Amino acid sequence: MALATELQTPVMRGLAKAPTGIQGLDEITGGGLPRGRPTLVCGSAGCGKTLLAMEFLVRGATEFDEPGVFMCFEETTQELTQNLRSLGFDLDELVEQKKLAMDFVRVERNEIEETGEYDLEGLFVRLNYAIDAIGAKRVVLDTVEALFGGLSNVAVLRGELRRLFRWLKDKGVTAVITGERGDGTLTRHGLEEYVSDCVILLDHRVTDQMSTRRLRIIKYRGTTHETNEYPFLIDEDGISVLPVTSLGLLHKASTERISSGIPRLDAMLGGEGFYRGSTVLMSGTAGSGKSSIAAHFAAAACKREERCLYFAFEESPGQILRNMRSIGIDLEPWVEKGLLHFHASRAAIHGLEMHLSTIHKLVREFRPRVVIMDPVGSLTAVGTRQDASVMLTRLIDFLKMQGITALLTSLTSGEEALEQTDVNVSTLIDTWLLLRDLELDGERNRVMYVLKSRGMAHSNQLREFLLTDQGVELQNVYLGAEGVLTGSARQTREAIEKADSLLRHQEIEAKQRERVLKREALAARITALQKEFEAEEEVAKRDIEQENSREETHRQDRDRMGISRQGDKVLKDAEPAARSHETPRSRK
């Protein structure tokens, strides 16, 4: 998935720019520093001027095939090489490849004696040689105050400063000049910012014992640029600037749905779960089950082979794994598989901007599809509610731009209204699950409901849920005279309904057995009647046969008698059949 921030980088036309390769800086400068022109990077001690300048050269040499010259006036090349090696920059290798030239110019204030006109001719010769030796396209001078530190003649100093910046322009190199901040001015001499085409101010601010580095573009001739302050992070990978205010409501709205990991909760959310890329807030009092539901969501993402980044501000990863295992959610296999990554730290360890920078950096590195923050209310420990709200607004916009589904948990104080959060982000989120405890009949039970879920017909039911050995289980809804039944009241109601159901089942079985017996009795009676009928029929047949036999015998006797009297023999031969049907009475 391509990062939206990459897509958002504006393409500036007109003024040629040299990309710095520094994460976020090219985005807010619209493509980089002015090519072939000097840029002043100023700030107080320890704000990161030298590192930014050196990274500009290293990225230029390694990523854009633009060799560079670093001329330093305070640190030796050996010291710089050692210092920057800790940040992953191998300067010796670049020097050996002739992609980088480093030159230390020793300037001692107590050795400078103003005996005549001071000029930078010697510096230009030295710098020109270094540039031509490697075909440098980029130059860094660190720091300009050291070069002019021994001069008290302001007119000469101003003249040489202008000459220095002009010389760099005429040479056609993209230059970065670092400068120390003065008292009430951007630089000590108050001139460099006027002769520079671009001025970047670095600030290392400490508020409530929390330090945050910030960057602001003061000036950029010939182009539009962002003017806000941006926090930036210095870590083992160098500098990364957080272009937070360049975000907006331009993210796409996905129609894909993803499971919460709890089937009955998915059913409450229109039957399919959350929208991908949406922001889900789950608020509730302490112990209401927020982290358990979040663990379900993390496990469901990993089962889909999606990466999940879990920010924990109150528990260590080991503690989360142990606790979730106790309710049947084993997250450790997903951690070992590399699909689930925990980043656990106390919120008070950094300022809000530094947290935001860290989250941005981890998201870019890990590229998750799901992000969980548990709980976001901890961020109020390092700032006001308003500050935390602004920070989370930036974070939510950033995650939405990446198409990342975010689940935020929020601790609700029992003294506050349930339908609000301590970080005031409820209006920014898409789905809000509210967890609460119901106290009834001397016990406390967990319930949840969907307070809102944009874009779907969601349930309006209040559902009790249990933390079981198989995780979170939503229970059926039981209504009593006093409302929704939970806990023991629900179990009692379930037992009564179960007993009623068993009784009805037994009654049905008894009726079925009775009907079978009746059917069998009726069949037996039918069989008996059938046998009785057959017996009577047999008797009737026998009587008829006996009667026929007697009739035949009588006829034969009569025929024999007729024959013996020699009468009516013809009649006997002509009509034997007719006579056979005559009754003895009719024949008489």
Side-chain angles (χ1 to χ4, degrees):
M1 181 182 64
L3 290 176
T5 51
E6 295 172 356
L7 299 176
Q8 271 205 320
T9 303
V11 178
M12 305 305 298
R13 296 180 178 178
L15 183 65
K17 297 186 178 181
T20 64
I22 298 173
Q23 180 67 49
L25 183 57
D26 290 341
E27 184 176 342
I28 61 176
T29 55
L33 304 182
R35 183 176 293 280
R37 300 185 182 188
T39 295
L40 175 67
V41 177
C42 56
S44 56
C47 63
K49 301 184 295 298
T50 302
L51 177 60
L52 187 146
M54 180 56 82
E55 188 168 352
F56 168 69
L57 290 188
V58 172
R59 303 284 182 194
T62 58
E63 298 179 11
F64 306 106
D65 194 25
E66 294 186 1
V69 173
F70 192 97
M71 184 165 283
C72 46
F73 307 109
E74 292 183 334
E75 292 180 277
T76 65
T77 56
Q78 291 78 13
E79 291 171 340
L80 276 172
T81 302
Q82 291 175 353
N83 294 341
L84 293 172
R85 186 176 292 120
S86 63
L87 299 175
F89 297 151
D90 189 350
L91 302 185
D92 289 335
E93 184 179 357
L94 292 176
V95 171
E96 186 177 347
Q97 296 173 354
K98 296 188 180 303
K99 292 183 177 180
L100 177 67
M102 300 179 65
D103 190 8
F104 170 62
V105 178
R106 181 170 172 269
V107 179
E108 289 293 339
R109 182 176 302 180
N110 53 5
E111 296 179 2
I112 296 178
E113 184 178 353
E114 297 183 57
T115 57
E117 289 192 1
Y118 178 87
D119 62 49
L120 298 176
E121 202 58 40
L123 177 70
F124 295 156
V125 172
R126 194 165 176 170
L127 189 56
N128 188 62
Y129 174 78
I131 293 173
D132 292 343
I134 61 171
K137 304 294 184 184
R138 304 185 178 201
V139 168
V140 169
L141 301 179
D142 183 43
T143 63
V144 70
E145 278 74 17
L147 192 59
F148 298 101
L151 289 182
S152 59
N153 190 328
V154 176
V156 172
L157 188 150
R158 287 177 174 271
E160 288 304 301
L161 273 175
R162 287 194 178 90
R163 205 156 74 93
L164 172 62
F165 280 75
R166 172 49 57 187
W167 187 90
L168 292 169
K169 275 189 176 182
D170 294 342
K171 192 64 180 176
V173 294
T174 306
V176 171
I177 298 101
T178 64
E180 296 178 0
R181 194 168 185 178
D183 186 13
T185 58
L186 293 176
T187 58
R188 288 187 180 180
H189 304 299
L191 178 65
E192 296 91 325
E193 56 265 39
Y194 295 103
V195 295
S196 300
D197 288 77
C198 177
V199 177
I200 298 176
L201 174 64
L202 305 184
D203 181 30
H204 194 185
R205 197 174 306 168
V206 178
T207 305
D208 295 334
Q209 301 180 350
M210 297 293 171
S211 67
T212 304
R213 289 187 171 92
R214 298 169 188 264
L215 178 150
R216 185 160 71 98
I217 301 175
I218 303 295
K219 165 186 175 183
Y220 202 144
R221 286 174 178 160
T223 183
T224 58
H225 59 88
E226 300 291 342
T227 57
N228 298 302
E229 281 192 329
Y230 300 92
F232 69 95
L233 184 66
I234 297 177
D235 60 11
E236 64 278 4
D237 296 324
I239 290 178
S240 58
V241 184
L242 184 60
V244 286
T245 54
S246 63
L247 300 175
L249 296 175
L250 301 175
H251 54 274
K252 296 180 180 179
S254 174
T255 57
E256 182 185 354
R257 304 285 282 273
I258 58 174
S259 173
S260 65
I262 305 173
R264 300 191 80 172
L265 176 56
D266 293 344
M268 295 177 68
L269 297 166
E272 300 177 82
F274 307 119
Y275 279 114
R276 183 177 293 284
S278 63
T279 304
V280 181
L281 176 66
M282 187 163 48
S283 63
T285 55
S288 56
K290 300 182 293 299
S291 298
S292 301
I293 297 176
H296 269 288
F297 189 48
C302 294
K303 287 179 182 176
R304 296 191 299 268
E305 298 293 324
E306 297 174 0
R307 295 181 179 179
C308 175
L309 185 55
Y310 196 120
F311 292 93
F313 297 114
E314 292 185 347
E315 295 180 283
S316 68
Q319 190 176 357
I320 294 173
L321 293 176
R322 182 202 64 188
N323 295 345
M324 293 304 108
R325 196 180 297 116
S326 69
I327 59 171
I329 306 173
D330 191 0
L331 298 176
E332 193 161 2
W334 306 120
V335 176
E336 295 174 351
K337 198 173 180 180
L339 292 173
L340 176 61
H341 176 71
F342 284 99
H343 179 80
S345 65
R346 291 289 183 190
I349 197 172
H350 295 307
L352 290 173
E353 301 295 356
M354 188 59 72
H355 277 296
L356 193 55
S357 297
T358 303
I359 293 171
H360 273 237
K361 182 173 182 293
L362 290 174
V363 167
R364 287 192 176 96
E365 290 176 353
F366 192 64
R367 294 183 177 272
R369 301 300 305 276
V370 168
V371 166
I372 296 174
M373 298 189 67
D374 182 28
V376 294
S378 298
L379 298 173
T380 57
V382 291
T384 64
R385 285 189 176 189
Q386 183 62 28
D387 291 340
S389 176
V390 172
M391 178 267 191
L392 287 173
T393 300
R394 295 172 173 177
L395 176 61
I396 290 171
D397 285 346
F398 170 70
L399 296 177
K400 280 181 176 289
M401 292 298 293
Q402 313 305 316
I404 296 173
T405 309
L407 189 149
L408 317 177
T409 69
S410 177
L411 177 64
T412 303
S413 171
E415 299 176 354
E416 299 176 344
L418 292 176
E419 297 182 1
Q420 73 176 30
T421 65
D422 50 2
V423 287
N424 300 323
V425 294
S426 56
T427 57
L428 302 176
I429 52 91
D430 301 300
T431 299
W432 188 352
L433 303 179
L434 202 152
L435 314 184
R436 56 182 297 193
D437 293 319
L438 288 182
E439 295 183 4
L440 185 65
D441 296 334
E443 60 185 29
R444 196 174 188 181
N445 300 293
R446 298 181 177 92
V447 297
M448 73 161 68
Y449 60 93
V450 182
L451 190 60
K452 78 170 185 180
S453 192
R454 292 168 174 160
M456 67 177 73
H458 59 83
S459 170
N460 63 350
Q461 285 186 325
L462 193 71
R463 300 292 296 273
E464 181 187 6
F465 67 96
L466 304 177
L467 300 182
T468 70
D469 293 339
Q470 290 77 41
V472 174
E473 290 186 359
L474 271 67
Q475 303 299 305
N476 294 324
V477 177
Y478 285 92
L479 293 175
E482 63 280 3
V484 176
L485 300 181
T486 61
S488 299
R490 175 183 53 77
Q491 292 175 355
T492 302
R493 182 62 173 270
E494 287 178 338
I496 293 174
E497 291 194 354
K498 186 176 180 180
D500 292 343
S501 176
L502 179 61
L503 181 60
R504 288 195 299 272
H505 182 70
Q506 291 174 343
E507 290 176 351
I508 291 173
E509 286 184 340
K511 289 180 179 179
Q512 289 177 339
R513 288 197 300 273
E514 182 180 0
R515 187 163 54 249
V516 170
L517 292 175
K518 285 183 177 180
R519 183 183 297 111
E520 292 175 350
L522 179 60
R525 290 180 60 188
I526 291 174
T527 302
L529 290 174
Q530 183 73 23
K531 291 183 180 298
E532 182 180 355
F533 173 77
E534 291 174 355
E536 291 178 356
E537 186 178 35
E538 186 65 25
V539 172
K541 286 180 178 178
R542 188 171 62 249
D543 292 345
I544 293 172
E545 289 175 355
Q546 291 176 355
E547 183 64 25
N548 290 337
S549 179
R550 282 195 298 272
E551 182 63 24
E552 181 63 20
T553 303
H554 179 70
R555 185 185 64 78
Q556 290 176 355
D557 292 343
R558 188 177 59 195
D559 289 346
R560 282 194 299 269
M561 187 177 294
I563 292 171
S564 66
R565 289 176 181 175
Q566 296 182 349
D568 205 16
K569 182 178 179 181
V570 177
L571 179 64
K572 169 181 175 291
D573 297 336
E575 301 175 342
R579 288 197 304 271
S580 66
H581 294 289
E582 292 178 355
T583 61
R585 184 178 298 276
S586 63
R587 284 196 297 271
K588 289 177 181 179

